[in-house]
Amino acid sequence: MTDTARVDSAPGTVLVIDDDETNRYILTSWLTRAGHTVVGAADGTEGLALLADPRGRLPEAAVIDVQLPDMSGFEVCERIKADARTAYLPVIHVSAVAVNTEDHTEGLRRGADAYLDQPIDPDEFLATVTAALRYARARRRAELLTLRLAALNRATLDVYRAVGFPSFTTAATGGAATLMSAPATAVLLSPQGQPVHSHAPGPHAPPLSLPAGPELLDRLAASAVGGDTGIEVARIPGARWRALLPLDPIRGDVLLVVARTKRNRPPVCVAVPADAARTTDERELLRQLVSAIALALEALRTFNEEHALALALQRTFLPDRLPSVPGVSLAVRYRPASDHAEIGGDFYEALETPAGLLLAIGDVAGHSLVAATVMGEIRHALRAYALEGHPPHHVLERLDAFLAHTRPGLTVTLALALVEPDGGRIHIANAGHIPPLLLGPDGTARYLPEHGPLLGLGLPHPPAHVHPTVPGSRLLLITDGLVEVRTQDLDDSLAAFRESTLAGPGELEALCDFLLHSFGENKEDDIALLALHLDGPRDTAR
């Protein structure tokens, strides 16, 4: 006999409703000798009251005499089946009077699960009770399994869509507690290498973080999979569990599931009270959840590693310092996307050319390692073309041809600002980028909106637009990550940004910090801000 069959056929609590004390005594004796626990009632009202008492434990079956003094056994059965709390309860009718076919038919039609005529054979009676219990338990187990499969699906989705390790830990530990309807403990190693001991007191309760030593994961893994890959389930005695995790709130024996997705990678350990997963189905559900947790954590760990590598690569593509140019002050702010977002292709450049100081800011379409790589290629090509002395719009045309040849299908926005050596004029050539913002020393601020097509479309680029400037003027070049808000029109965002620049500090570094704090928090895109201040006339005889 399987474990499940043994559990289904085990003795249970049986309600016996019979007004005849002798009959009730005989039935109770048979049931008690067979290992059942018996709750007795002398009439229908008393029996229904026992079932309605929220303090009492509901029986698993009811044996009801058909003829009772206050109501018929048929009516008692109908009331039991009409109540959602007791609808699952199997009812066995017994009768020494209502024994014909019509009585049997009416009893079964009104909800009974079995009907026995007295005198009853003890073995047949006990076998009928066992069969009723077995059927009711199997049905309840199937219903519970359906609910738990839905809970498994929800928990699996939660761990896979968790953003960041804290929310992942909450989803993993809380999902195990909800799935097993019991307290749950998870011991995990964060992508940053920190061991975390998380405990959920029960279903839907917020998990708590507890101290964890660096050797804990290895000690737990040794109880199951060692250093190999796979997933194993082990029953850990309560005393040993307390020795392993003295601070863990679970008491008594625990069921520990350990999963390792790759050899010598940190395992995932999840534990629940042993009584919470007694059947094969329950243990298999827990195994599946822990397997999903391990795979999701490995994906999160891999993403963090690749993201850190991509950010390091992205930073190598950006200037390590700004040029020092007499008569001009420069400031830059660059903030990569948040840790859980893909890297973007924002970039900036500032270099001295034969025609003056050239500032550039751009954005490669997309968020990926490819975007960052293209960003590096465009920036290096930009430097080469600018140092050859080409005017800004010719630089854009050459970059357009370069992009079409090397990366067909990709597009790039790029704004160029060439400051003449004496600082008296600025040439703006813009390939579909956010317009530069020019701040005058008189307290005015206006965008320089003239622009041409994006790079990568193979379209001609108009000559640069020339704007006169005076000492004290400031120029801001930004990427859309600083001002773009999904729920707000871009024109409104740009207007708010312009007003903030007028209200912000006059000193360039302080202004950059102010704008980054005002507009750059909780953004999911890279942010670049390149700022220029014209201090005064420059000595061009160098």
Side-chain angles (χ1 to χ4, degrees):
M1 182 181 294
T2 65
D3 290 343
T4 301
R6 188 177 296 109
V7 170
D8 286 351
S9 300
T13 301
V14 181
L15 171 64
V16 176
I17 305 177
D18 197 320
D19 62 319
D20 188 306
E21 291 187 12
T22 301
N23 286 340
R24 194 166 67 247
Y25 173 79
I26 292 172
L27 296 176
T28 298
S29 299
W30 292 346
L31 291 166
T32 303
R33 285 198 295 269
H36 299 283
T37 300
V38 179
V39 179
D43 56 34
T45 301
E46 183 182 355
L48 292 173
L50 288 171
L51 294 175
D53 186 356
R55 299 168 299 175
R57 181 179 178 181
L58 286 173
E60 292 185 88
V63 178
I64 304 175
D65 185 21
V66 172
Q67 292 193 334
L68 297 171
D70 56 343
M71 66 184 78
S72 73
F74 297 155
E75 184 178 348
V76 175
C77 178
E78 285 182 326
R79 292 192 184 185
I80 289 174
K81 298 296 184 178
D83 189 335
R85 292 180 64 248
T86 56
Y88 71 92
L89 197 70
V91 172
I92 303 169
H93 278 319
V94 296
S95 181
V97 178
V99 295
N100 58 39
T101 301
E102 289 77 11
D103 296 323
H104 283 213
T105 301
E106 183 176 4
L108 296 172
R109 181 178 58 80
R110 296 175 70 172
D113 298 273
Y115 200 117
L116 298 175
D117 295 334
Q118 293 178 322
I120 307 171
D121 178 79
D123 292 337
E124 181 184 4
F125 172 71
L126 292 175
T128 302
V129 171
T130 299
L133 287 172
R134 186 168 57 242
Y135 170 76
R137 288 165 174 168
R139 185 177 64 184
R140 293 204 70 193
R141 190 174 65 254
E143 293 171 350
L144 180 59
L145 179 60
T146 300
L147 294 175
R148 284 185 165 172
L149 283 172
L152 173 64
N153 183 56
R154 289 193 298 270
T156 301
L157 290 175
D158 287 344
V159 296
Y160 272 107
R161 66 188 174 196
V163 177
F165 185 70
S167 61
F168 171 84
T169 304
T170 298
T173 313
T178 300
L179 177 66
M180 306 312 297
S181 300
T185 289
V187 182
L188 313 163
L189 190 70
S190 75
Q192 292 73 34
Q194 299 297 320
V196 174
H197 174 193
S198 175
H199 177 78
H204 311 298
L208 309 172
S209 292
L210 303 172
E215 77 291 343
L216 179 57
L217 272 170
D218 292 335
R219 294 171 63 190
L220 291 174
S223 304
V225 299
D228 294 331
T229 60
I231 181 166
E232 295 292 338
V233 181
R235 186 183 179 107
I236 308 296
R240 185 180 172 198
W241 182 251
R242 286 192 297 276
L244 289 168
L245 287 89
L247 299 178
D248 193 73
I250 297 181
R251 292 292 178 259
D253 293 356
V254 304
L255 197 71
L256 174 66
V257 184
V258 180
R260 194 193 300 273
T261 57
K262 295 181 180 179
R263 179 176 290 274
N264 297 325
R265 290 286 264 184
V268 166
C269 302
V270 176
V272 298
D275 290 343
R278 293 180 295 175
T279 68
T280 302
D281 288 340
E282 290 169 339
R283 289 191 290 271
E284 181 58 28
L285 286 173
L286 186 58
R287 279 173 55 94
Q288 290 187 34
L289 176 59
V290 176
S291 178
I293 291 171
L295 291 171
L297 180 56
E298 186 62 33
L300 181 62
R301 183 176 288 113
T302 300
F303 172 81
N304 280 10
E305 292 171 352
E306 292 179 350
H307 192 258
L309 177 62
L311 285 177
L313 177 63
Q314 186 180 23
R315 290 188 181 99
T316 65
F317 292 152
L318 298 173
D320 56 356
R321 62 183 180 275
L322 296 175
S324 177
V325 179
V328 172
S329 298
L330 295 174
V332 68
R333 296 293 184 273
Y334 187 87
R335 178 180 291 177
S338 59
D339 290 341
H340 54 264
E342 295 181 293
I343 65 170
D346 290 14
F347 65 98
Y348 65 91
E349 184 57 88
L351 69 155
E352 291 186 273
T353 73
L357 175 65
L358 181 68
L359 305 181
I361 196 161
D363 187 2
V364 180
H367 296 80
S368 66
L369 186 56
V370 172
T373 304
V374 173
M375 174 262 284
E377 296 172 351
I378 290 292
R379 175 176 165 259
H380 289 307
L382 165 67
R383 290 177 63 88
Y385 295 142
L387 292 174
E388 287 179 355
H390 299 289
H393 71 286
H394 286 172
V395 172
L396 293 181
E397 289 174 347
R398 283 163 172 76
L399 289 175
D400 186 88
F402 171 79
L403 187 64
H405 178 71
T406 59
R407 300 284 182 170
L410 280 180
T411 58
V412 174
T413 67
L414 178 61
L416 300 179
L418 178 67
V419 184
E420 292 185 356
D422 63 358
R425 297 194 306 172
I426 295 178
H427 301 244
I428 301 295
N430 191 343
H433 196 77
I434 296 286
L437 180 62
L438 182 62
L439 306 175
D442 58 353
T444 61
R446 62 188 178 94
Y447 286 105
L448 309 180
E450 306 90 355
H451 66 82
L454 281 67
L455 298 181
L457 300 180
L459 299 175
H461 290 266
H465 293 264
V466 180
H467 299 273
T469 55
V470 296
S473 297
R474 292 171 293 172
L475 184 71
L476 301 180
L477 294 90
I478 63 174
T479 57
D480 57 5
L482 183 60
V483 293
E484 193 171 59
V485 179
R486 292 181 181 177
T487 58
Q488 188 175 23
D489 186 271
L490 182 59
D491 289 340
D492 295 335
S493 299
L494 289 174
F497 182 79
R498 183 189 63 226
E499 296 304 316
S500 292
T501 61
L502 292 174
E507 196 273 328
L508 204 60
E509 295 285 349
L511 177 62
C512 289
D513 289 336
F514 170 75
L515 294 174
L516 197 64
H517 175 74
S518 301
F519 292 87
E521 301 299 325
N522 302 315
K523 293 297 182 69
E524 296 182 358
D525 198 0
D526 292 348
I527 293 172
L529 167 61
L530 183 59
L532 171 142
H533 183 275
L534 293 175
D535 302 326
R538 296 161 55 189
D539 181 8
T540 59
R542 289 186 296 157

